[in-house]
Amino acid sequence: MLSRLVIVSASALKGSGPLGAGLVQASRSLHTTSQSLAPVPPLPETGGKVRHGLFPEELFQLLYPKTGVTGPYMLGTGLLVYLLSKELYVINHETFAAASIGTIIVVGVKKFGPSVAAFADKLNEEKVAKAQEVKDQAISVLTQAIEDEKKEQWRVEGRSMLFDAKRNNVAMLLETNYRERLHMVTTEVKRRLEYQLALQNLHRRMEQEHLVSWVEKNVVSSITPQQEKESIAKCITDLKVLAKASQAQARA
Amino acid sequence: LVLSFFDQFLSPTFLGIPLIAVALALPWVMFPALPSQWLPNRQLLLQSWFINRFTQQLLLPLNTGGHKWALLFASLMLFLITLNMLGLLPYTFTPTTQLSLNLGLAVPLWLATVIIGLRNQTTVALGHLLPEGTPTPLIPVLVIIETISLFIRPLALGVRLTANLTAGHLLIQLIATAAFVLLPLMPTVAALTAVLLLLLTLLEVAVAMIQAYVFVLLLSLYLQENI
């Protein structure tokens, strides 16, 4: 981590020339910018690139112009051989212990590394998903509210037609009511007139019957017994004549 | 300069400066502070996930009064597990192999739990000295035995951690020396010894984590009895 810092600053300072060191000091005292912290530059998403798990990529980039691709490897090999040959690093039992723990670490990282990284990413994903869900829900609620509002506006437009229909309805009801009442009035008047008519008819009929019965009574009472005998005898003679006539007709 | 096998446990000093202070401060470097960003990077995420889960699990059986110890237990666990695991690297010094350190951690914490118990609920704390359902003639003997077991707890805590780690480191060194010495003489046997060393190192990794966990777990148990 610190080696990366050294390498990066070394290459930066190398490019800035003889004024490099002086500028580093000078920029602290002169106020050339407004020194605002916003907008903050975005944080890097992944860590620094490393080769073989330990050596930062910047080392390889630093040595590439002068020594090419194999430069850092030669450096490593040479360093190792130097340390071993001059016995600056003595191989003893600790080397074996280092080898065993090194093997375990490397195997462990290679085997469980991806799954652990996926687990960590999943934890982050869940956190983001929860927030995203809240945001999506809020958006959907608001969209729904917009649609409901539009529907309400459409409903309001149709409301005038509704009022027209209601007005028509009411007019028809009034008309029907008026016609009914008219009909009722006509019926009632007709009933009363018919009653009067019936009354008059009854009256005339009763007069007629009374008159007829009175006339009959008078006629019957005026027939004397003498007249009755005479009329009966006349009827008998008439009947005899008629019987003869019919007999004659039947024979003929 | 002949090194004995126990020289790895000498508390290192350099020009009179005790380097054990540096060794003790090293775990602080491995756990950086959480930045104020919403989604941390993988390392911090995993560390904070582990700390949260561990503390939640440890504090489950404790009542609300015991939750005051959460920070202490979490930091103690992180401290011990980091010290143990870092000690497995070559040429490192493990501070937890020093009995002074382990007793220095165990005795005050155990004593704190006992004093809390005796202050807040004296009869209950004293009642722990007699298990339930003992026959009457056995009571005096059992009280003595329980008192002894109570006082041996801090010793057991400290010595357990020390002994496990010291034994582990010694074994690693012995077997590594055997493999190293056998390499020019009998390479096949040296290879077998190397395999044994690999397995042992695996065991030591497990032991390092388990011993730290057991230390903190037992302290939480002692707290549970007394809170």
Side-chain angles (χ1 to χ4, degrees), chain A:
Chain A
M1 187 175 65
L2 290 172
S3 61
R4 194 198 308 265
L5 198 69
V6 166
I7 289 164
V8 167
S9 56
S11 48
L13 278 175
K14 205 157 58 107
S16 55
L19 287 172
L23 264 176
V24 169
Q25 300 301 318
S27 62
R28 293 183 126 256
S29 48
L30 294 175
H31 295 273
T32 44
T33 57
S34 57
Q35 284 191 2
S36 155
L37 288 173
V40 178
L43 291 165
E45 281 197 30
T46 53
K49 288 200 146 313
V50 280
R51 220 187 269 200
H52 306 299
L54 281 176
F55 308 104
E57 191 65 37
E58 283 90 346
L59 174 71
F60 293 82
Q61 297 306 319
L62 184 73
L63 292 175
Y64 180 74
K66 289 291 189 299
T67 53
V69 174
T70 51
Y73 297 103
M74 287 309 299
L75 179 68
T77 318
L79 205 65
L80 196 63
V81 169
Y82 164 69
L83 288 173
L84 285 171
S85 68
K86 288 251 185 210
E87 297 246 318
L88 288 166
Y89 175 70
V90 179
I91 294 189
N92 52 10
H93 61 279
E94 291 266 11
T95 318
F96 276 77
S100 70
I101 190 85
T103 317
I104 287 177
I105 288 176
V106 166
V107 166
V109 167
K110 280 228 164 355
K111 203 156 156 197
F112 300 111
S115 57
V116 167
F119 173 72
D121 286 340
K122 192 164 71 84
L123 284 177
N124 261 358
E125 285 290 312
E126 278 171 14
K127 215 167 163 186
V128 170
K130 266 192 226 167
Q132 185 72 20
E133 197 188 312
V134 168
K135 182 175 146 190
D136 285 340
Q137 214 172 25
I139 286 180
S140 73
V141 160
L142 288 173
T143 327
Q144 187 67 28
I146 288 175
E147 278 177 21
D148 287 341
E149 182 63 35
K150 283 211 171 87
K151 193 152 185 209
E152 282 301 310
Q153 283 176 353
W154 170 80
R155 278 198 189 139
V156 164
E157 276 170 30
R159 206 156 288 176
S160 58
M161 278 193 273
L162 187 72
F163 290 149
D164 279 341
K166 282 201 170 160
R167 212 175 289 135
N168 275 351
N169 237 14
V170 166
M172 247 190 293
L173 274 177
L174 285 173
E175 185 75 26
T176 319
N177 200 15
Y178 170 69
R179 294 252 170 104
E180 268 178 26
R181 281 171 37 204
L182 201 65
H183 177 72
M184 198 172 66
V185 160
T186 325
T187 325
E188 285 295 306
V189 163
K190 205 158 86 170
R191 254 183 54 204
R192 278 167 181 63
L193 287 175
E194 275 176 4
Y195 172 70
Q196 293 297 327
L197 194 70
L199 201 66
Q200 278 182 2
N201 281 352
L202 182 72
H203 210 71
R204 198 180 299 151
R205 194 162 44 91
M206 280 186 71
E207 278 178 4
Q208 224 173 15
E209 278 177 11
H210 183 78
L211 194 65
V212 162
S213 65
W214 181 78
V215 163
E216 275 180 7
K217 197 172 71 180
N218 273 2
V219 164
V220 164
S221 65
S222 75
I223 297 177
T224 56
Q226 170 77 35
Q227 275 179 325
E228 209 172 325
K229 236 185 273 177
E230 275 180 19
S231 64
I232 286 172
K234 190 155 188 300
C235 285
I236 292 170
T237 46
D238 277 336
L239 275 170
K240 278 184 186 158
V241 170
L242 271 169
K244 268 190 203 153
S246 67
Q247 265 181 357
Q249 210 169 14
R251 236 180 273 146

Side-chain angles (χ1 to χ4, degrees), chain B residues 157-213:
Chain B
L157 270 179
V159 173
R160 180 186 301 113
L161 191 57
T162 314
N164 266 299
L165 265 89
T166 317
H169 280 94
L170 263 175
L171 266 175
I172 285 180
Q173 214 175 29
L174 278 169
I175 296 182
T177 312
F180 177 60
V181 165
L182 282 171
L183 192 60
L185 298 173
M186 291 183 276
T188 38
V189 180
L192 284 172
T193 321
V195 169
L196 184 65
L197 181 63
L198 209 69
L199 293 171
L200 182 69
T201 318
L202 215 60
L203 176 70
E204 280 309 308
V205 171
V207 164
M209 293 195 277
I210 289 169
Q211 285 306 317
Y213 175 60

Side-chain angles (χ1 to χ4, degrees), chain B residues 7-227:
Chain B
D7 281 343
Q8 61 174 322
F9 302 121
L10 285 178
S11 184
T13 54
F14 182 66
L15 302 174
I17 306 169
L19 294 176
I20 191 168
V22 182
L24 285 174
L26 191 59
W28 173 71
V29 172
M30 318 259 20
F31 297 97
L34 287 170
S36 58
Q37 61 194 44
W38 181 40
L39 296 171
N41 61 356
R42 282 177 184 166
Q43 182 199 359
L44 289 182
L45 187 64
L46 288 168
Q47 278 176 356
S48 44
W49 172 83
F50 170 71
I51 294 170
N52 284 334
R53 279 300 297 263
F54 172 76
T55 317
Q56 177 199 352
Q57 284 296 108
L58 195 69
L59 291 179
L60 269 179
L62 290 173
N63 61 3
T64 325
H67 290 183
K68 287 187 229 165
W69 287 61
L71 185 61
L72 183 66
F73 284 150
S75 52
L76 187 65
M77 171 67 175
L78 282 181
F79 185 60
L80 289 175
I81 204 171
T82 316
L83 283 177
N84 291 350
M85 298 289 276
L86 282 175
L88 288 168
L89 295 171
Y91 300 105
T92 50
F93 170 70
T94 322
T96 37
T97 52
Q98 309 295 308
L99 187 64
S100 52
L101 186 91
N102 294 340
L103 281 179
L105 282 173
V107 171
L109 292 172
W110 161 84
L111 196 60
T113 60
V114 167
I115 289 177
I116 283 176
L118 285 174
R119 267 190 83 186
N120 296 347
Q121 35 183 28
T122 322
T123 39
V124 177
L126 285 173
H128 283 311
L129 291 176
L130 189 67
E132 261 185 56
T134 55
T136 327
L138 280 175
I139 291 180
V141 186
L142 218 53
V143 170
I144 294 175
I145 291 176
E146 288 286 333
T147 317
I148 294 174
S149 96
L150 178 72
F151 279 97
I152 229 171
R153 276 179 184 176
L155 281 175
L157 270 179
V159 173
R160 180 186 301 113
L161 191 57
T162 314
N164 266 299
L165 265 89
T166 317
H169 280 94
L170 263 175
L171 266 175
I172 285 180
Q173 214 175 29
L174 278 169
I175 296 182
T177 312
F180 177 60
V181 165
L182 282 171
L183 192 60
L185 298 173
M186 291 183 276
T188 38
V189 180
L192 284 172
T193 321
V195 169
L196 184 65
L197 181 63
L198 209 69
L199 293 171
L200 182 69
T201 318
L202 215 60
L203 176 70
E204 280 309 308
V205 171
V207 164
M209 293 195 277
I210 289 169
Q211 285 306 317
Y213 175 60
V214 160
F215 194 95
V216 178
L217 185 71
L218 281 172
L219 273 175
S220 79
L221 278 170
Y222 301 155
L223 183 68
Q224 207 181 324
E225 283 182 355
N226 286 313
I227 198 80

